């Protein structure tokens, strides 16, 4: 049976970094992490520089080649490098398969008014927030467990989305048009990919997660006024624990949809 592993893409900062730490601490599985840094060793050191990771086997954290998500050749190259690493360690072409995969990439240009929209920024937002996720589906789905997998457990393939991608929830404030539209498109990609997994009868589900408002670099700190869990505002470790728990509990009936940090659905 192929050995399960965790994939976090990217894990250089923010929620992806927190997720890599979480799986190192709470599982014994290999954790493959992507980044686009010149020096993978600096990213590895950053991920490992956290409380409760002192006794973790550092070899479980495997940094892949630099991955620029706006470049399909880079995405394909990293998928090929992952296949080669799995083969080298496991000895055959089916030496490893995804147990949990998280696709975390996202950028935000926080336009307040439609007059603020910029063609280049809109395209960049869609490239990172939507196109890179579609291309990850194209190049990394080969690592999902095969249809005849002896394991009874479903793999979980997760994209970090956002509540603002919900059309039905967009009633009062509006704002952030390019980010908002990109997350709505991502949600459609999630739904479509999940249907594809179902049609192929693969032992895997795809879903989206809204993590709440999390203290990261996403907005440059502009909208952060301190944690307030009752209102969905979290420091990074707290947010990561919550969304990882939600994903562990996702079942067959919840596939193809978007869930928040309370395990409540973000309606389309
Ligand atoms: N933070 C929140 O409150 C919040 C709320 C709702 C949803 N989300 C979503 O959560 C996800 C993670 O956000 P975050 O808060 O962790 O943001 P973050 O701290 O800004 O991290 C963004 C990550 O994306 C990577 N990235 C961006 N553009 C890339 C590119 N072209 N190629 C490769 N990597 C690229 C960054 O890599 P580098 O380190 O190389 O720049 C970094 O690892 C996003 O999808 C975001 O929309 C966040």
């Amino acid at each position: 049976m192929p050995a399960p592993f965790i994939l976090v893409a990217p894990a250089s900062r923010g929620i992806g970094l927190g997720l890599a730490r979480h799986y190192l601490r709470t599982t014994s599985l290999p954790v493959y992490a992507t980044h686009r840094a010149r020096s993978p060793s600096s990213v590895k050191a950053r991920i490992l520089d956290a409380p409760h990771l002192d006794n973790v086997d550092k070899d479980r954290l495997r940094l892949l080649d630099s991955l620029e998500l706006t470049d399909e050749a880079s995405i394909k190259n990293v998928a090929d490098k992952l296949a080669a690493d799995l083969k080298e360690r496991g000895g055959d072409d089916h030496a490893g398969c995804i147990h949990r995969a998280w696709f975390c990439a996202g950028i935000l240009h926080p336009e307040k008014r439609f007059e603020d929209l910029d063609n280049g920024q809109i395209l960049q937002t869609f490239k990172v927030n939507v196109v890179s996720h579609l291309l990850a589906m194209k190049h990394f789905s080969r690592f999902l467990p095969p249809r005849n997998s002896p394991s009874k457990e479903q793999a979980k393939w997760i994209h970090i989305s956002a509540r603002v991608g919900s059309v039905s929830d967009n009633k009062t404030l509006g704002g952030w048009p390019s980010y908002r539209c990109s997350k709505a498109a991502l949600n459609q990609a999630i739904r479509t990919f999940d249907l594809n997994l179902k049609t192929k009868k693969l032992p895997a589900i795809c879903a989206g997660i809204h993590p709440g408002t999390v203290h990261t670099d996403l907005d440059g700190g502009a909208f952060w006024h301190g944690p307030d869990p009752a209102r969905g505002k979290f420091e990074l470790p707290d947010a990561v624990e919550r969304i990882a728990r939600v994903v562990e509990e996702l079942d067959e009936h919840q596939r193809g949809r978007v869930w928040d940090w309370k395990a409540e659905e973000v309606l389309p």
Side-chain angles (χ1 to χ4, degrees):
M1 183 182 143
F5 66 85
I6 310 284
L7 174 64
V8 184
S12 57
R13 281 190 289 125
I15 297 172
L17 175 117
L19 285 164
R21 288 174 176 163
H22 170 84
Y23 287 107
L24 285 168
R25 191 171 52 74
T26 60
T27 74
S28 55
L29 300 177
V31 176
Y32 283 93
T34 80
H35 63 91
R36 58 176 169 172
R38 286 220 179 108
S39 144
S41 56
S42 65
V43 180
K44 184 163 183 165
R46 190 184 315 151
I47 295 171
L48 291 170
D49 181 20
H52 315 300
L53 290 183
D54 293 345
N55 298 323
V56 160
D57 171 8
K58 295 177 178 38
D59 191 41
R60 279 179 48 225
L61 176 59
R62 298 174 190 170
L63 274 285
L64 291 162
D65 272 15
S66 178
L67 172 51
E68 170 50 60
L69 283 161
T70 57
D71 176 4
E72 182 173 5
S74 178
I75 298 175
K76 180 179 182 309
N77 171 58
V78 169
D80 289 345
K81 289 287 163 49
L82 173 56
D85 191 79
L86 292 168
K87 189 172 178 181
E88 192 182 313
R89 289 168 191 265
D92 64 56
D93 279 345
H94 302 288
C97 67
I98 285 169
H99 176 62
R100 304 285 177 261
W102 285 82
F103 299 93
C104 310
I107 57 170
L108 166 68
H109 292 290
E111 309 98 356
K112 290 201 175 93
R113 308 166 305 157
F114 274 78
E115 290 81 352
D116 298 333
L117 284 167
D118 172 85
N119 184 49
Q121 290 182 344
I122 297 169
L123 292 177
Q124 187 72 0
T125 300
F126 270 75
K127 272 188 174 180
V128 176
N129 296 10
V130 190
V131 179
S132 82
H133 290 254
L134 285 165
L135 292 174
M137 292 164 182
K138 173 180 173 184
H139 291 290
F140 285 92
S141 53
R142 69 203 247 205
F143 301 108
L144 283 166
R147 187 170 170 168
N148 58 359
S149 170
S151 170
K152 295 273 175 286
E153 208 190 333
Q154 282 180 316
K156 290 175 180 168
W157 175 290
I158 306 298
H159 297 263
I160 305 192
S161 184
R163 190 181 302 284
V164 295
S166 165
V167 175
S168 58
D169 191 66
N170 189 8
K171 291 176 186 148
T172 49
L173 289 176
W176 300 356
S178 60
Y179 183 76
R180 192 179 282 278
C181 295
S182 72
K183 292 297 189 181
L186 174 63
N187 294 351
Q188 182 67 288
I190 289 166
R191 177 78 168 169
T192 305
F193 185 61
D194 181 69
L195 288 170
N196 185 265
L197 299 180
K198 205 171 178 177
T199 307
K200 289 182 173 163
K201 297 192 168 56
L202 295 185
I205 63 174
C206 172
I209 287 290
H210 166 62
T213 301
V214 188
H215 190 193
T216 68
D217 298 332
L218 183 74
D219 62 4
F223 303 98
W224 182 253
H225 306 292
D228 186 354
R231 302 182 68 199
K233 298 179 181 186
F234 308 108
E235 291 292 356
L236 181 61
D238 191 10
V240 166
E241 294 307 310
R242 288 171 195 259
I243 60 176
R245 197 178 318 133
V246 169
V247 164
E248 283 318 299
E249 289 170 9
L250 280 183
D251 66 24
E252 174 67 23
H253 306 290
Q254 294 170 293
R255 61 187 301 163
R257 295 185 273 159
V258 180
W259 302 91
D260 75 5
W261 49 274
K262 280 188 288 189
E264 290 180 1
E265 185 174 5
V266 178
L267 292 169

